[in-house]
Amino acid sequence: MDNSAQIRVAATKLFALRGYEGVSLQAIADVVGVAKQTLLYHYPSKESLRRAVLNNVFEHWRRTLPAILQAVTSGKRRFSALTDELVRFFSSDRDRARLLARELLDNPEDMQRLIGENLRPWLLLLAEYIREGQKVGSIRADVDPESYVLHVILLVVANVANLSTLSMSLDTSGAASDAIERRHLKELARLARSALFVR
Amino acid sequence: MDNSAQIRVAATKLFALRGYEGVSLQAIADVVGVAKQTLLYHYPSKESLRRAVLNNVFEHWRRTLPAILQAVTSGKRRFSALTDELVRFFSSDRDRARLLARELLDNPEDMQRLIGENLRPWLLLLAEYIREGQKVGSIRADVDPESYVLHVILLVVANVANLSTLSMSLDTSGAASDAIERRHLKELARLARSALFVR
DNA sequence: CCTACCGATCGGTAGG
DNA sequence: CCTACCGATCGGTAGG
């Protein structure tokens, strides 16, 4: 991995942890072990580094999208697998979810464009599948297809981004934190599933 | 309203919009129309201002909590009103939701404590009501009570915090943005309700 | 990729 | 001795 990629990876982690404004170029350079000016050689400004980080996250998304779509449209589990696949994608690297949750708040204009380009076509396609399910009676008639899909995605992003904080608040006994996290994500999947299908 | 309160109100708005690290004391002082040093007279440090802002949000929460609990535990609509009340509380001042969404990411330790003190007792109480509903058969047996309540709260906070960004991504026709927002919040309420009750 | 810097602004404190 | 501020400036660090 060359320095350019190392810088991007370090920036992703730090931006996800402390936010764009909370991270100095010097802090990123220190982690990588280069001078701050080396960083500015690869990325001419802090803002260009932000965009590289964000583009990289959506690039992962585009590469993973086909697998997620396939899980939803083929086989017998169909839509039940949607939430599982989303949870898998974001859980495999929680910084992705944290970064997106932050950028939604910090950078709504850029995110609106990126959502429009990377999420919207897929969201409309899933909504169409839901409408078909409603016609044949397998999916509840009162579901708002586009809105439902958006809620499930936001719920997954928000939960994964804040999973350790939330699971602490859930703990009643002294259960292992990853067991509580699994329990919470399981209820997420149940919630999404049972709000969609006719019993 | 004295200067101390004006500063807190301005800081709340700016922290919600751009985040703690993204707002300088000078920027807050400029909005209020005082010198930065006046701000530091009322709040000895930026960190103390953050805590005052956060405490104020949770103070509102504590004052509103009884009304929300009453909506849930009395009358015939019972739990259906929970989401409505939560949406009402956060929608009445979106900066509240934005601030909480940010602090969950920026300041997880403080938020864990504040959730533990202000949310947890209430969450356990609601979970108990859900368990009673499960006994009498009105609420689905597979609901995880504590986890469910946490999901609903997080879903409301995340949606209200990002409502304008999300509604833009939902828009298919040229519908008015507040109509799209209402539609999206209506589906949120339906999702929460239909995942809880036996049909 | 680094050394040597800049205009400006950061959070916080001085005396009055 | 107090509350409620001010203009000026502190030592450091920001992005570039």
Side-chain angles (χ1 to χ4, degrees):
Chain A
M1 191 161 61
D2 61 7
N3 270 349
S4 171
Q6 274 186 269
I7 290 165
R8 194 198 60 231
V9 169
T12 305
K13 185 167 290 182
L14 288 173
F15 287 164
L17 191 66
R18 295 186 230 150
Y20 179 78
E21 299 282 358
V23 178
S24 67
L25 293 181
Q26 190 61 62
I28 300 167
D30 288 349
V31 167
V32 182
V34 296
K36 186 178 68 172
Q37 295 76 5
T38 302
L39 190 152
L40 286 162
Y41 167 79
H42 292 286
Y43 303 94
S45 68
K46 195 186 183 185
E47 182 58 32
S48 78
L49 179 54
R50 159 188 247 159
R51 268 194 280 266
V53 164
L54 205 50
N55 283 338
N56 183 259
V57 169
F58 276 98
E59 195 188 307
H60 274 282
W61 173 255
R62 282 192 297 271
R63 274 208 300 275
T64 314
L65 195 58
I68 295 182
L69 280 175
Q70 203 183 357
V72 172
T73 57
S74 74
K76 37 186 171 181
R77 297 178 62 227
R78 293 175 56 92
F79 263 99
S80 318
L82 169 67
T83 316
D84 295 338
E85 288 296 325
L86 283 173
V87 169
R88 207 186 322 276
F89 175 74
F90 288 109
S91 294
S92 69
D93 181 3
R94 290 194 191 170
D95 286 337
R96 272 201 279 263
R98 288 192 197 110
L99 199 90
L100 292 180
R102 284 191 180 283
E103 288 293 318
L104 269 174
L105 292 163
D106 288 346
N107 210 6
E109 311 80 25
D110 271 17
M111 283 300 281
Q112 237 163 54
R113 185 179 51 77
L114 287 165
I115 289 173
E117 292 170 4
N118 295 286
L119 191 66
R120 210 159 175 284
W122 176 57
L123 187 147
L124 297 177
L125 182 69
L126 283 173
E128 203 42 55
Y129 289 138
I130 291 178
R131 288 208 170 80
E132 287 172 19
Q134 288 176 317
K135 273 180 198 162
V136 300
S138 62
I139 289 179
R140 305 163 71 109
D142 56 357
V143 173
D144 183 330
E146 290 86 1
S147 191
Y148 168 83
V149 176
L150 206 52
H151 278 302
V152 171
I153 295 168
L154 189 63
L155 193 57
V156 172
V157 171
N159 269 289
V160 173
N162 300 294
L163 201 52
S164 36
T165 308
L166 295 173
S167 68
M168 290 283 213
S169 314
L170 257 186
D171 188 22
T172 39
S173 58
S177 68
D178 68 327
I180 302 168
E181 291 180 0
R182 272 197 304 274
R183 172 191 151 193
H184 192 54
L185 291 178
K186 195 182 160 194
E187 171 64 12
L188 193 167
R190 188 208 64 79
L191 201 157
R193 193 190 329 117
S194 73
L196 185 65
F197 293 110
V198 172
R199 306 256 274 157
Chain B
M1 189 162 61
D2 61 7
N3 271 349
S4 170
Q6 274 186 270
I7 289 165
R8 195 198 61 232
V9 169
T12 305
K13 185 166 292 186
L14 286 173
F15 287 164
L17 191 66
R18 294 185 231 152
Y20 179 77
E21 298 284 358
V23 178
S24 67
L25 294 181
Q26 190 60 63
I28 300 167
D30 288 349
V31 167
V32 182
V34 296
K36 187 180 65 172
Q37 294 77 1
T38 301
L39 190 152
L40 286 162
Y41 167 80
H42 292 287
Y43 304 94
S45 68
K46 195 186 182 184
E47 182 58 32
S48 76
L49 179 54
R50 159 188 247 159
R51 269 194 280 266
V53 164
L54 206 49
N55 283 338
N56 182 258
V57 168
F58 276 97
E59 197 189 305
H60 274 282
W61 174 255
R62 284 192 297 272
R63 275 208 300 273
T64 314
L65 195 58
I68 295 181
L69 280 176
Q70 205 185 355
V72 172
T73 58
S74 73
K76 38 187 170 179
R77 296 177 64 225
R78 292 177 55 91
F79 262 98
S80 317
L82 169 66
T83 315
D84 295 339
E85 288 296 325
L86 283 173
V87 168
R88 207 188 321 277
F89 175 74
F90 288 108
S91 294
S92 70
D93 182 2
R94 291 192 190 173
D95 287 337
R96 272 201 280 263
R98 287 191 198 112
L99 199 90
L100 292 180
R102 285 190 180 282
E103 288 293 318
L104 269 174
L105 293 163
D106 288 345
N107 211 6
E109 311 80 26
D110 271 15
M111 283 300 281
Q112 237 162 53
R113 185 180 50 76
L114 287 165
I115 289 172
E117 293 171 2
N118 296 286
L119 191 66
R120 210 159 174 286
W122 175 60
L123 187 145
L124 296 177
L125 181 69
L126 283 173
E128 205 40 57
Y129 288 137
I130 290 178
R131 288 207 170 80
E132 289 173 18
Q134 288 176 316
K135 273 179 196 160
V136 300
S138 63
I139 289 178
R140 306 164 71 111
D142 56 358
V143 173
D144 182 331
E146 289 86 2
S147 192
Y148 169 83
V149 176
L150 206 53
H151 278 303
V152 171
I153 294 168
L154 188 63
L155 192 58
V156 172
V157 170
N159 269 290
V160 173
N162 300 295
L163 200 53
S164 36
T165 308
L166 296 172
S167 67
M168 289 284 212
S169 314
L170 258 185
D171 187 23
T172 39
S173 57
S177 67
D178 69 325
I180 302 168
E181 292 180 0
R182 273 197 304 274
R183 173 192 150 192
H184 192 54
L185 292 177
K186 195 182 160 195
E187 171 65 12
L188 193 168
R190 189 208 63 78
L191 201 158
R193 194 191 328 119
S194 72
L196 185 66
F197 294 109
V198 172
R199 306 257 273 157

